Amino acid sequence: MPKKPAPRPDDSAGEAAASGAVATKSPAQKALEKLGLKRDIDLALHLPLRYEDETRIVKLTEVREGQQAQIEAVVTHQEVTFRPRRQLIVTVDDGSDTCTLRFFSFYGSQQKALAVGNRIRVRGEVKGGFLGRTMLHPTFRAAGGSLPTALTPIYPTVAGLPQPYLRKAVLSGLARSDLSDTFAPGDLDVLHHGIGHQPLWTLRQALHFLHHPTPDVSLDTLSDHSHPAWQRLKAEELLAQQLSQLQSRRERAALRAPMLQAVLGGTLHARLLATLPFGLTNAQQRVGEEIAHDMGRHIPMHRLLQGDVGAGKTVVAALAATTCIDAGWQCALMAPTEILAEQHFRKLLGWLEPLGITTAWLTGTQKTKERRAMLALIESGEAQLVVGTHAIIQDKVKFKNLALAIIDEQHRFGVAQRLALRNKLQHDAMEPHMLMMTATPIPRTLAMSYYADLDVSTLDELPPGRTPIVTKVVSDHRRDEVIERIRGQIAQGRQVYWVCPLIEESEALDLTNATQTHADLAEALQGATSADGQPVLIGLLHSRMHVDDKKAVMGAFTAGLMSVLVSTTVIEVGVDVPNASLMVIEHAERFGLSQLHQLRGRVGRGAAASACVLLYSTGDAPRLGEAARERLRAMAETNDGFEIARRDLEIRGPGEFLGARQSGEAMLRFADLATDTALLEWARAEAPMLLDRYPHLAHKHVARWLGGKAEYLKA
Ligand code: ADP
Ligand code: MG
């Protein structure tokens, strides 16, 4: 089981001694480390954000509004004014025109350098303006001296790390790095043909070029990363990602897991199937077989089960659990929130307890006595199924023989948490099978890249009898109509969710506070009655409530005693109340697309026709922003989770999908999955070939690109 190596306490001392430096690090050195720039190659791979052209001196009359320019000019005037605030104003003349330089903060030494009559070299963005050309806070020095021959790279940096220092560090890192090629011989040609671009550059060429590009290069090809030097780096990076995922797959294949072979006839699995009030969909059946196949082998399964909200993942999980328990092993199911864990617990209890299965329950908020009892059940093996939150992975929790670990809403968990679960069978020198579930379908390019180490099963079919959810985008001005609609649903015995954006520390943002909305709705719905003539109950649920209160509210809603549930996004994941038929999302414009889709998925889970109302408010603005309109439009246009996910990836990029799966460091820095599909395909084909035929190159490549992070990617 690969683990991140623990930092040695003497690490820094050792480094300092090795490099012969003093023991304390300068702020700039610390800043370099903060950026992850520790090795020479890390520095060499730290690429410029953009470039400045200091190679030429231009005339002011040639400069267009908004352009960066470098001029040489004579100071003709200098003054300090105090209106509207203290500032230094300097006028310069380069023979073609004049320009005003403005400084809001300045030293006496700078004033001196800008004395009237001095000839200076000035660089900055030139603004047109009513009163003539100006530059705000330009850089300047005495005129004359040689001009650089390459563009000046501007690197991503952090506070305390000035560009010149970073630039020097990068260049010396580049000079010291071993940049020998790690692609298989002949590969440059293959890649060249594969992506139909200009011949690919070597890594050495690409890096040297990107750190000092010649002034004749088109800056556009550098900024949009289409330049061959960028292509090479993207190919390198994608290959490193594929290789490390492939390595972790192969390492896993060498690990052992309990073989959970399905037992025939009269088993828990068969009995559960027989007692379910519904038949499985074809997709559920197929996915169940894929999982059973994996669990029947002695290699740990790492399977991602993706299925749109309401696709019926829970029953698939329950069936896998019975297979595991049939074989005499324990199963654990972990969910990201207590509400969700509790709901799974109840559902599974309802299905599995009648079959004689003993289930334990673990959460962080549990009373000590109850927890102790649960821990004992788990350690003795009496508990065959354990359901809970993060509490499951604590060291104190000792399983007798955990063979299957199921993680719901897997993107809510981090690497360390998955690793901790994987370690729960260490005492038997094995790992449990892992089934990770997600309701956020993962677009193909992501599945091929970040998730390449996992096998993916997809529930691409909803259970029958669902009527599609109708989604309406409605202005907040029409709130009253929405309330009438709620009244109508309640009268038919249906239930309603009303979701408000999270309160948190952002009161200043003028979000409608859930508490206020709750009070308003209660007033507006006064006198409304439910189908059986009872007065309606309106509940409130938000994340700051005590867990017992949350449970009570959720319990009343699930039991159908409560007609309307006003809540913050705590209900976002997994909550399953089939009788709920209307979802109102307030300030829908503030939610992300996937989140809206998740929320909408709380209705339409039964046979009743369901609707989702997206209430938006433009505030003081005349209309909604483009991105917000785009999201609401997508919601109204499609119920298909894959389509939503694809659009969301377009709008927001991969970060949001990955959630806690990977640390930011492991993100692709250069490649863009939306545009670099051809390179991604190449890297996928290349990785196994390189690892098989040129393992030394493969290892060198991964070490170069991922260094210490490689191990961390394997959970
Ligand atoms: P999700 O995939 O979002 O976790 P659930 O497992 O909560 O979905 O299932 C949604 C609802 O559909 C539940 O009420 C569940 O009992 C029901 N369900 C699951 N599978 C089927 C099926 N094959 N036929 C009918 N209803 C089903
Ligand atoms: Mg679910």
Side-chain angles (χ1 to χ4, degrees):
M1 156 94 267
K3 261 204 199 152
K4 205 185 176 192
R8 283 177 291 127
D10 60 346
D11 241 356
S12 55
E15 261 173 41
S19 64
V22 283
T24 49
K25 285 183 188 140
S26 73
Q29 281 170 318
K30 282 189 196 149
L32 278 181
E33 287 193 8
K34 196 163 146 204
L35 279 173
L37 305 180
K38 297 186 184 144
R39 305 169 304 162
D40 289 336
I41 187 69
D42 297 330
L43 286 161
L45 294 175
H46 190 66
L47 294 183
L49 272 180
R50 59 185 175 84
Y51 302 90
E52 279 178 6
D53 188 353
E54 294 176 46
T55 63
R56 292 180 305 145
I57 305 283
V58 294
K59 287 288 172 205
L60 277 167
T61 43
E62 299 165 8
V63 182
R64 272 177 290 128
E65 153 80 22
Q67 225 179 12
Q68 285 283 338
Q70 178 166 259
I71 57 167
E72 284 196 347
V74 178
V75 177
T76 56
H77 179 81
Q78 184 193 105
E79 69 175 303
V80 176
T81 64
F82 293 89
R83 278 212 186 94
R85 51 188 273 212
R86 183 170 177 267
Q87 54 181 303
L88 172 66
I89 295 179
V90 173
T91 311
V92 296
D93 187 334
D94 78 342
S96 76
D97 201 356
T98 61
C99 181
T100 308
L101 317 181
R102 272 176 204 282
F103 301 86
F104 289 112
S105 60
F106 52 92
Y107 301 111
S109 59
Q110 290 173 311
Q111 262 176 284
K112 220 158 132 196
L114 292 168
V116 171
N118 284 2
R119 205 174 149 70
I120 54 172
R121 183 179 291 176
V122 192
R123 194 162 41 80
E125 186 182 331
V126 179
K127 290 285 190 193
F130 179 62
L131 296 171
R133 299 170 196 278
T134 60
M135 289 194 202
L136 187 62
H137 283 260
T139 53
F140 64 89
R141 61 186 190 82
S146 62
L147 289 167
T149 52
L151 298 178
T152 309
I154 307 295
Y155 292 101
T157 188
V158 290
L161 187 57
Q163 283 293 334
Y165 184 96
L166 179 56
R167 206 171 284 152
K168 249 196 215 141
V170 166
L171 292 188
S172 60
L174 178 67
R176 284 191 304 260
S177 292
D178 161 21
L179 299 176
S180 56
D181 225 282
T182 46
F183 284 8
D187 248 20
L188 291 188
D189 302 333
V190 177
L191 191 51
H192 171 204
H193 290 300
I195 59 175
H197 275 277
Q198 314 90 317
L200 206 75
W201 293 22
T202 64
L203 179 64
R204 173 181 303 281
Q205 283 172 321
L207 284 179
H208 277 276
F209 177 80
L210 290 175
H211 287 296
H212 341 247
T214 45
D216 55 348
V217 67
S218 142
L219 282 176
D220 287 346
T221 64
L222 290 184
S223 62
D224 73 7
H225 294 190
S226 64
H227 191 277
W230 273 113
Q231 294 289 326
R232 168 70 193 214
L233 281 159
K234 296 199 277 194
E236 288 257 336
E237 179 179 48
L238 288 165
L239 181 61
Q241 187 191 44
Q242 292 294 326
L243 280 171
S244 84
Q245 306 245 24
L246 188 63
Q247 278 175 334
S248 69
R249 230 179 216 282
R250 292 193 177 175
E251 278 164 24
R252 207 168 69 228
L255 298 172
R256 287 292 162 260
M259 283 172 76
L260 305 174
Q261 264 159 348
V263 195
L264 290 175
T267 61
L268 297 167
H269 187 273
R271 284 163 59 203
L272 174 56
L273 268 183
T275 54
L276 282 177
F278 47 76
L280 296 185
T281 62
N282 289 332
Q284 283 170 323
Q285 222 147 11
R286 172 173 44 77
V287 163
E289 281 161 20
E290 288 166 1
I291 294 168
H293 172 264
D294 283 3
M295 294 198 308
R297 303 191 311 160
H298 55 62
I299 298 167
M301 164 173 80
H302 273 212
R303 189 168 277 280
L304 180 71
L305 168 54
Q306 56 174 345
D308 207 347
V309 279
K313 294 183 288 295
T314 318
V315 71
V316 173
L319 285 164
T322 54
T323 301
C324 168
I325 297 166
D326 269 331
W329 294 79
Q330 287 174 303
C331 172
L333 171 64
M334 179 163 81
T337 66
E338 187 147 352
I339 289 185
L340 193 52
E342 167 135 9
Q343 182 188 289
H344 279 313
F345 181 65
R346 283 182 200 287
K347 189 136 203 168
L348 293 171
L349 210 62
W351 282 336
L352 303 179
E353 201 168 46
L355 306 179
I357 293 174
T358 308
T359 305
W361 163 246
L362 270 185
T363 77
T365 59
Q366 192 159 43
K367 301 253 157 37
T368 321
K369 200 170 150 213
E370 185 188 357
R371 157 180 290 257
R372 270 206 209 110
M374 291 296 171
L375 290 178
L377 281 180
I378 297 166
E379 186 154 7
S380 71
E382 199 175 322
Q384 294 156 296
L385 174 66
V386 183
V387 180
T389 58
H390 301 78
I392 289 187
I393 54 177
Q394 290 173 344
D395 286 343
K396 279 175 286 192
V397 185
K398 306 230 185 312
F399 287 84
K400 175 160 178 263
N401 60 357
L402 178 68
L404 173 62
I406 304 172
I407 305 182
D408 197 14
E409 305 296 342
Q410 63 89 24
H411 58 283
R412 296 279 186 110
F413 292 97
V415 175
Q417 292 162 329
R418 268 188 298 270
L419 277 178
L421 251 186
R422 286 175 63 177
N423 283 339
K424 290 287 185 194
L425 197 56
Q426 242 172 359
H427 52 280
D428 277 344
M430 287 196 280
E431 283 200 9
H433 296 286
M434 303 277 285
L435 178 63
M436 291 161 262
M437 307 202 287
T438 180
T440 306
I442 296 165
R444 187 171 154 272
T445 47
L446 278 193
M448 281 168 55
S449 54
Y450 289 99
Y451 291 87
D453 60 327
L454 300 184
D455 296 301
V456 179
S457 287
T458 306
L459 285 178
D460 50 7
E461 183 187 359
L462 292 181
R466 302 263 171 90
T467 30
I469 305 164
V470 177
T471 300
K472 289 248 153 61
V473 179
V474 176
S475 157
D476 194 43
H477 297 130
R478 291 167 57 198
R479 218 181 163 89
D480 290 350
E481 291 169 44
V482 176
I483 289 171
E484 274 320 296
R485 194 156 176 175
I486 293 178
R487 215 183 265 275
Q489 289 298 304
I490 297 173
Q492 292 171 42
R494 297 291 169 201
Q495 289 166 281
V496 178
Y497 293 103
W498 183 297
V499 176
C500 312
L502 203 60
I503 316 175
E504 275 196 308
E505 265 66 63
S506 49
E507 268 91 353
L509 275 178
D510 186 31
L511 295 187
T512 311
N513 170 317
T515 315
Q516 187 60 45
T517 306
H518 176 249
D520 292 350
L521 273 181
E523 196 179 322
L525 291 170
Q526 233 170 27
T529 49
S530 58
D532 51 6
Q534 296 294 313
V536 301
L537 212 58
I538 299 171
L540 174 64
L541 191 67
H542 60 78
S543 49
R544 293 204 193 143
M545 277 163 65
H546 188 273
V547 61
D548 289 340
D549 296 336
K550 277 192 212 168
K551 280 186 195 167
V553 170
M554 214 46 230
F557 191 72
T558 310
L561 302 172
M562 188 178 275
S563 298
V564 182
L565 181 60
V566 178
S567 110
T568 55
T569 50
V570 288
I571 61 148
E572 178 190 342
V573 291
V575 173
D576 182 33
V577 179
N579 189 47
S581 59
L582 177 61
M583 162 67 64
V584 181
I585 304 175
E586 189 165 1
H587 278 300
E589 77 282 358
R590 298 192 178 163
F591 290 85
L593 192 45
S594 295
Q595 204 179 11
L596 288 172
H597 182 64
Q598 287 284 321
L599 286 168
R600 175 169 63 182
R602 298 310 108 214
V603 296
R605 301 175 81 81
S610 296
C612 173
V613 174
L614 302 175
L615 270 182
Y616 69 89
S617 158
T618 58
D620 294 333
R623 57 196 304 206
L624 282 180
E626 184 55 40
R629 259 187 297 153
E630 191 86 355
R631 289 195 295 269
L632 299 182
R633 190 179 313 132
M635 285 292 291
E637 279 172 10
T638 180
N639 270 317
D640 176 353
F642 275 94
E643 178 59 20
I644 295 269
R646 202 188 53 70
R647 294 200 197 183
D648 204 18
L649 182 64
E650 253 168 38
I651 299 175
R652 289 195 301 183
E656 304 289 332
F657 280 85
L658 300 171
R661 175 171 163 78
Q662 292 182 325
S663 58
E665 296 174 343
M667 298 287 292
L668 291 171
R669 287 185 286 161
F670 306 137
D672 176 351
L673 294 176
T675 53
D676 297 325
T677 339
L679 286 173
L680 177 59
E681 301 273 7
W682 167 83
R684 247 160 83 85
E686 179 73 4
M689 191 283 288
L690 198 65
L691 202 53
D692 289 336
R693 297 195 18 214
Y694 305 96
H696 60 289
L697 290 181
H699 291 131
K700 188 169 174 183
H701 188 82
V702 172
R704 176 181 284 167
W705 275 86
L706 300 170
K709 290 172 231 156
E711 290 299 304
Y712 207 55
L713 290 170
K714 290 177 186 165

